Amino acid sequence: NAGVTQTPKFQVLKTGQSMTLQCAQDMNHNSMYWYRQDPGMGLRLIYYSASEGTTDKGEVPNGYNVSRLNKREFSLRLESAAPSQTSVYFCASSKSGEETQYFGPGTRLLVL
Amino acid sequence: AQSVTQLGSHVSVSEGALVLLRCNYSSSVPPYLFWYVQYPNQGLQLLLKYTSAATLVKGINGFEAEFKKSETSFHLTKPSAHMSDAAEYFCAVSPHFGNEKLTFGTGTRLTIIP
């Protein structure tokens, strides 16, 4: 099993450009998450999906949209990137009703 | 709302010395508590978790943590540090079983001095 995979690993954008971060898991988990990690701030939840077809906002959803395409895939879209969105983005998944989350390797995003 | 506070953003210990990373929690209901580790350029992986069974929880790589309700703490310890323990450690809290949303602390970077 590959676990949780994320693409791309690294991306540079100019302010105003758009892009989609991809995440997929092969563990048959219902729940999936997007976090951003910034120095000194830990991980903050952007969006959460409890099951296919459902999404909920987390702590810092502004400037982002998500799509739960199917049970395996959960994408994060930046419609108009801003320098404040420079960060490392992590996708995670978990079984419904279980606390342990499994993380992908991350996407490092730089917005100029 | 629940939260965790990690005291010390950077901790340095000598190889072979005791590792102690501090975490205090705030929760209106009995919490579930976690420690995750992040090695350089990698995602997070679970070290251990407390889910209201034994208060002393043993995890991977020789780490353990003790849940102390009276002190609202869940400190992470390892008796003897190894060079491979150098990483960033995150404490996290979930308010109750079935609530999968975790709230993370700001992290503690552990450096091991040879």
Side-chain angles (χ1 to χ4, degrees):
Chain A
N1 287 348
V4 180
T5 57
Q6 293 183 237
T7 56
K9 291 184 179 178
F10 181 71
Q11 184 73 46
V12 179
L13 291 179
K14 295 181 180 178
T15 296
Q17 288 185 317
S18 63
M19 80 161 294
T20 299
L21 282 65
Q22 306 287 354
C23 174
Q25 52 90 11
D26 62 2
M27 295 176 283
N28 202 35
H29 288 167
N30 284 318
S31 302
M32 298 186 73
Y33 316 80
W34 276 106
Y35 294 91
R36 59 177 290 171
Q37 182 181 27
D38 302 292
M41 304 193 74
L43 276 78
R44 293 179 292 168
L45 184 65
I46 305 171
Y47 269 96
Y48 160 68
S49 171
S51 61
E52 182 180 350
T54 67
T55 60
D56 288 304
K57 294 179 180 179
E59 181 184 354
V60 289
N62 291 345
Y64 305 94
N65 287 303
V66 290
S67 295
R68 184 74 183 269
L69 305 170
N70 47 54
K71 192 171 187 178
R72 288 187 65 249
E73 298 172 293
F74 189 36
S75 61
L76 179 71
R77 183 161 177 84
L78 287 71
E79 292 290 352
S80 179
S84 61
Q85 295 178 305
T86 292
S87 188
V88 182
Y89 292 86
F90 287 100
C91 178
S93 70
S94 67
K95 284 185 180 180
S96 292
E98 290 198 8
E99 317 82 14
T100 302
Q101 294 185 15
Y102 297 84
F103 285 79
T107 294
R108 192 172 297 271
L109 177 65
L110 174 62
V111 183
L112 301 175
Chain B
Q2 68 280 357
S3 65
V4 288
T5 301
Q6 292 184 241
L7 299 176
S9 58
H10 291 86
V11 171
S12 296
V13 301
S14 298
E15 191 175 15
L18 172 71
V19 175
L20 171 60
L21 304 182
R22 300 178 186 274
C23 174
N24 288 89
Y25 69 90
S26 172
S27 178
S28 57
V29 297
Y32 284 8
L33 293 158
F34 309 80
W35 277 100
Y36 280 83
V37 60
Q38 183 181 29
Y39 297 105
N41 300 312
Q42 295 186 27
L44 280 71
Q45 63 183 85
L46 183 70
L47 262 183
L48 51 81
K49 63 181 179 182
Y50 166 76
T51 56
S52 77
T55 56
L56 182 62
V57 182
K58 294 187 184 297
I60 62 172
N61 301 336
F63 284 93
E64 62 182 36
E66 186 172 8
F67 174 72
K68 292 187 176 180
K69 186 177 179 180
S70 61
E71 299 177 7
T72 61
S73 68
F74 190 58
H75 301 332
L76 182 70
T77 60
K78 181 174 181 177
S80 177
H82 191 272
M83 294 301 294
S84 60
D85 295 327
E88 189 154 19
Y89 292 80
F90 293 92
C91 184
V93 62
S94 172
H96 54 80
F97 180 78
N99 184 323
E100 300 137 355
K101 294 184 186 179
L102 297 178
T103 301
F104 285 86
T106 53
T108 297
R109 184 168 299 278
L110 177 65
T111 300
I112 310 298
I113 303 166

